[in-house]
Amino acid sequence: MPDDAPATARAEEEAIIVIDNLSFSYDGGRTAALRGVTLEIQAGLTTAFIGPSGCGKSTLLRCLNRMNDLVEKAAITSGQIRIMGHDIHDPKVDVIELRKQVGMIFQKYNPFPKSIYDNVAYGPRVQGVRDKAKLAHLVEDSLRKAALWDEVRDRLDQSALSLSGGQQQRLCIARTIAVKPKIILMDEPCSALDPIATARIEELIAELQEEFTIVIVTHNMQQAARVSDQTAFFNMGELVECGETARIFGNPSVKQTEDYISGRFG
Amino acid sequence: MPHILRNYDDELGALKDTVVKMGTLAVVAIEKSVSGLLNRDLDLCYYVIDEDEVIDQHEKQIDEQGMAILLRFSPVASDLRHVLSSINIGRSLERIGDHAVTVARRSRKILKAGELDEVRLVEPLMIEVRRMLSEALVAYSDRDEKRALAVIKMDEKVDRIHKVLAKSLTQKISEGLPETESLLNIIFISRSLERIGDLAVNLGEDVVFSASAEDIRHTS
């Protein structure tokens, strides 16, 4: 998926992410982790994936930038994912390029054991940016967007591991932003953080939403209600219901959704 | 299906019990305030005035229970609507209690002034609003949208009875009858009963919201 690929007519019409009847298996097709999931995600929206453990929400998230390629025997058994109009499993797709466009933030913050500056500069350097002034600008811009600049501007050369947990997670977000993705995937990004650090990340998500399409997996119902525009509820590998977040949490259409969000099963 | 947290079900159930109990007290207050007038029983009037404090305390209890549920369980969907509608219904029932007190106070004045046949005119109105409120409480308890909508419809009859009564008594007042003050008090009683009907409509609207998520207030 080259960055400068001409937009096809379909890409212009389509949602930024189109998941079309997707089924997925971790064991070569014997059991399905995802079954016939069809879902569209519009650009500029934050979408929350919710559901009980093992429902397939993280599996689907990891499908969106082909993280599951790294898992032996894991494969899509049917269906397709199109991002910006391109089938991401097309043999012509460069997976590195895909992951540049579709960045990911993990549950456990994972900065490199390098300086704060080098963490953020890592991606642009890999992409060939050598100009020091340009790199410095990219690092500052990314740290500002990740709401971390004011806290670290005087110690950019210090180890990233010296930061608090919440700061390390925001550093990971800055590192992701630095390569200018279109989509940011977040897999339970606050589950290891205290309430204050969680609030900062949530505030950051609201700010990033203006520039990026965000998909977030969360077990925290209130977090999904606070940060997302639309919510998709999964159970046993199937998409049960997807819709505007206010409706899903106020008046879901499917009883299974209501039972889950109101704590009647899980 | 019950909640995984049994306390959650217990507290939602307790909130509902408080609302129904408060509603029952309000129904009794309406009955007794008008009975006091019809049976010339001042004790019933005083009873209603004194008992309003108990109704008021129930409103505070509903607020406390609702807030505790919001705080502890962060309810969503139908649970959230149940809590919100219960708090709203508590407000309406408190105002119904106040109107019953108004009826009792006006009745006391009428009784002290002497006997008057026209007091009988308020009985059909009391019967209708009592029925509305009882039905609204059953609809709340059962989350019965259909029954709640029927309550809302019943208000037309209440408005009609009040209008006829007020017109008739206004006519008598204009004829210069000596019981003018008592006749005016009957009109005020009728007005309070008509307002109780309006508040029962509010209850019906809250039940519809709780049951179906549809906000039908201010739609007609």
Side-chain angles (χ1 to χ4, degrees):
Chain A
M1 199 182 338
D3 200 15
D4 57 351
T8 62
R10 188 169 70 174
E12 283 175 1
E13 288 168 12
E14 268 190 357
I16 191 166
I17 301 172
V18 176
I19 301 159
D20 187 6
N21 197 27
L22 188 81
S23 294
F24 180 88
S25 171
Y26 282 110
D27 55 10
R30 276 189 302 185
T31 50
L34 292 172
R35 304 160 202 266
V37 173
T38 295
L39 177 64
E40 291 193 359
I41 295 173
Q42 301 295 333
L45 293 186
T46 296
T47 302
F49 288 177
I50 61 168
S53 296
C55 70
K57 57 190 187 298
S58 287
T59 297
L60 181 60
L61 192 80
R62 294 162 67 88
C63 283
L64 297 179
N65 71 348
R66 290 181 52 179
M67 289 292 286
N68 290 322
D69 287 8
L70 307 170
V71 182
E72 201 182 346
K73 291 188 180 173
I76 286 177
T77 51
S78 69
Q80 192 185 55
I81 298 172
R82 290 192 298 279
I83 291 182
M84 291 178 274
H86 300 272
D87 175 1
I88 64 168
H89 288 90
D90 188 310
K92 284 181 278 185
V93 167
D94 176 354
V95 179
I96 305 294
E97 187 60 33
L98 170 70
R99 290 182 191 146
K100 189 185 131 193
Q101 299 280 351
V102 187
M104 192 155 193
I105 306 296
F106 296 90
Q107 185 174 357
K108 182 80 181 83
Y109 34 89
N110 53 357
F112 303 134
K114 291 171 176 285
S115 70
I116 293 166
Y117 184 95
D118 286 343
N119 263 273
V120 185
Y122 186 87
R125 278 183 181 141
V126 168
Q127 287 173 8
V129 179
R130 290 287 176 268
D131 183 276
K132 280 190 177 175
K134 194 174 177 187
L135 265 180
H137 175 73
L138 263 173
V139 168
E140 181 178 337
D141 187 49
S142 303
L143 286 169
R144 281 189 188 280
K145 283 179 180 164
L148 193 57
W149 175 251
D150 290 342
E151 293 164 56
V152 300
R153 60 191 302 173
D154 299 327
R155 48 176 173 146
L156 293 172
D157 56 342
Q158 283 184 12
S159 169
L161 304 179
S162 67
L163 298 173
S164 70
Q167 287 172 324
Q168 288 190 40
Q169 188 64 302
R170 278 182 283 150
L171 179 65
C172 292
I173 292 173
R175 188 176 63 187
T176 302
I177 292 169
V179 295
K180 300 188 180 300
K182 295 281 188 293
I183 297 162
I184 301 176
L185 309 176
M186 297 183 168
D187 193 357
E188 297 187 54
C190 304
S191 62
L193 303 179
D194 68 27
I196 293 167
T198 297
R200 290 213 169 105
I201 298 283
E202 289 184 8
E203 195 178 57
L204 179 56
I205 290 170
E207 284 163 20
L208 295 175
Q209 193 180 8
E210 290 173 14
E211 199 171 334
F212 306 97
T213 302
I214 298 170
V215 185
I216 179 170
V217 164
T218 178
H219 275 293
N220 182 332
M221 298 296 124
Q222 275 64 49
Q223 182 171 70
R226 282 192 298 266
V227 304
S228 69
D229 301 296
Q230 63 172 355
T231 298
F233 168 58
F234 295 87
N235 193 27
M236 299 178 78
E238 292 179 357
L239 173 64
V240 177
E241 185 173 0
C242 179
E244 193 190 336
T245 295
R247 184 187 66 73
I248 293 287
F249 286 97
N251 186 29
S253 305
V254 183
K255 187 175 180 302
Q256 209 180 358
T257 312
E258 166 128 13
D259 286 346
Y260 177 71
I261 62 171
S262 58
R264 291 186 168 88
F265 82 87
Chain B
M1 187 185 284
H3 292 91
I4 297 164
L5 296 169
R6 194 186 292 174
N7 281 354
Y8 193 2
D9 283 327
D10 291 347
E11 293 200 21
L12 286 169
L15 173 64
K16 185 160 109 174
D17 289 347
T18 309
V19 172
V20 171
K21 196 173 158 201
M22 183 180 182
T24 307
L25 290 171
V27 170
V28 170
I30 296 165
E31 278 175 356
K32 287 196 186 305
S33 63
V34 176
S35 284
L37 176 65
L38 300 179
N39 300 321
R40 300 195 57 75
D41 187 341
L42 271 174
D43 286 345
L44 284 180
C45 298
Y46 286 119
Y47 174 88
V48 170
I49 295 163
D50 291 343
E51 279 294 291
D52 189 47
E53 173 63 19
V54 180
I55 293 178
D56 290 350
Q57 289 307 318
H58 276 74
E59 184 195 16
K60 286 172 75 172
Q61 191 183 340
I62 288 166
D63 283 357
E64 281 167 20
Q65 287 176 303
M67 207 165 130
I69 292 169
L70 293 171
L71 187 73
R72 294 179 62 199
F73 302 105
S74 301
V76 294
S78 61
D79 296 330
L80 177 60
R81 299 198 304 273
H82 171 65
V83 174
L84 294 179
S85 63
S86 296
I87 292 171
N88 273 346
I89 287 172
R91 293 274 177 285
S92 295
L93 291 174
E94 190 275 333
R95 288 168 66 196
I96 287 173
D98 289 347
H99 281 294
V101 168
T102 301
V103 172
R105 288 207 168 114
R106 300 269 177 193
S107 296
R108 197 177 51 183
K109 284 183 184 169
I110 294 167
L111 295 183
K112 283 180 179 171
E115 289 199 30
L116 192 65
D117 287 343
E118 282 79 0
V119 295
R120 293 278 150 212
L121 293 173
V122 300
E123 191 172 15
L125 197 51
M126 185 276 285
I127 290 169
E128 282 305 313
V129 295
R130 184 184 59 190
R131 194 155 71 92
M132 279 180 82
L133 185 55
S134 301
E135 284 291 296
L137 290 170
V138 174
Y140 165 78
S141 183
D142 296 347
R143 282 200 179 186
D144 186 339
E145 184 186 2
K146 207 171 154 188
R147 197 184 280 261
L149 288 168
V151 169
I152 294 167
K153 190 88 183 138
M154 286 161 73
D155 194 43
E156 289 169 14
K157 187 175 177 185
V158 168
D159 288 348
R160 213 165 41 239
I161 297 173
H162 165 65
K163 207 171 167 184
V164 170
L165 183 151
K167 193 176 174 186
S168 147
L169 294 188
T170 307
Q171 175 68 30
K172 287 190 178 180
I173 291 167
S174 66
E175 287 166 7
L177 292 180
E179 303 88 357
T180 296
E181 193 179 333
S182 289
L183 292 173
L184 271 172
N185 278 324
I186 295 172
I187 293 174
F188 283 124
I189 287 171
S190 175
R191 172 70 187 146
S192 279
L193 292 172
E194 187 270 335
R195 284 294 299 132
I196 291 172
D198 291 344
L199 290 162
V201 167
N202 291 0
L203 259 71
E205 290 168 346
D206 286 324
V207 172
V208 170
F209 176 69
S210 175
S212 71
E214 198 184 343
D215 187 350
I216 59 168
R217 294 172 303 169
H218 315 299
T219 49
S220 57

